[in-house]
Amino acid sequence: MPTPSMEDYIEQIYLLIEEKGYARVSDIAEALSVHPSSVTKMVQKLDKDEYLIYEKYRGLILTTKGKKIGKRLVYRHELLEQFMRIIGLDESKIYGDVEGIEHHLSWEAIDRIGDLVQYFEEDPARITALRNVQKTNEE
């Protein structure tokens, strides 16, 4: 199982490949605000753990295992952002809060949050009712 740091790298590599078709060490470093040497070390570890295949100066590709985990990590992040919007969190706080909690939730908790997001999205009146509760509680 990947560590939280490994998850951040896998997620970012997955996103870069989806967006650009490739992920270079410099792109990963920029996206994660880390030094390229840190990226190289982590990419080597991810290669050793079979999440990706890395060839120095040639680039990297995600393995089937890496793609599967990457897709799941992106889903988790996007789901938590949806959840934060539904519960009315200020947009400027969503990314930071999701980054702060995403590695600390079990996949079972993620599944239950997914159920809750689905519940609210199936009937917009439920979101309106939630906003009314929030408004009442703020008074």
Side-chain angles (χ1 to χ4, degrees):
M1 199 65 193
T3 65
S5 180
M6 291 167 76
E7 286 183 348
D8 285 339
Y9 278 84
I10 295 168
E11 180 180 6
Q12 193 57 57
I13 291 165
Y14 181 88
L15 287 169
L16 284 165
I17 291 172
E18 286 292 303
E19 179 185 319
K20 299 169 85 170
Y22 60 89
R24 297 179 307 192
V25 168
S26 59
D27 297 325
I28 300 163
E30 183 180 338
L32 294 174
S33 300
V34 296
H35 292 289
S37 60
S38 298
V39 174
T40 300
K41 286 178 190 171
M42 180 59 80
V43 164
Q44 289 168 343
K45 179 166 180 36
L46 293 170
D47 181 41
K48 180 178 156 275
D49 291 349
E50 300 179 348
Y51 292 105
L52 55 80
I53 298 167
Y54 173 65
E55 293 181 28
K56 194 172 182 179
Y57 307 117
R58 298 204 39 133
L60 56 93
I61 59 168
L62 289 170
T63 61
T64 302
K65 174 181 170 182
K67 285 179 191 172
K68 182 179 176 184
I69 299 255
K71 185 174 184 175
R72 195 165 190 208
L73 294 171
V74 169
Y75 165 77
R76 175 181 71 186
H77 189 98
E78 290 173 351
L79 176 69
L80 290 172
E81 284 188 353
Q82 281 180 278
F83 176 68
M84 295 295 178
R85 283 185 188 94
I86 286 171
I87 63 172
L89 191 65
D90 183 83
E91 194 67 34
S92 66
K93 295 179 179 150
I94 290 175
Y95 182 82
D97 282 359
V98 169
E99 284 296 312
I101 66 169
E102 66 184 342
H103 301 294
H104 302 285
L105 296 171
S106 68
W107 286 103
E108 182 180 359
I110 295 298
D111 289 342
R112 297 299 69 83
I113 290 170
D115 295 342
L116 193 57
V117 166
Q118 180 182 346
Y119 171 80
F120 278 103
E121 289 183 341
E122 283 176 350
D123 184 355
R126 294 171 180 156
I127 295 175
T128 302
L130 176 62
R131 295 289 177 268
N132 291 336
V133 169
Q134 292 169 330
K135 189 174 180 181
T136 300
N137 288 341
E138 289 173 2
E139 294 174 353

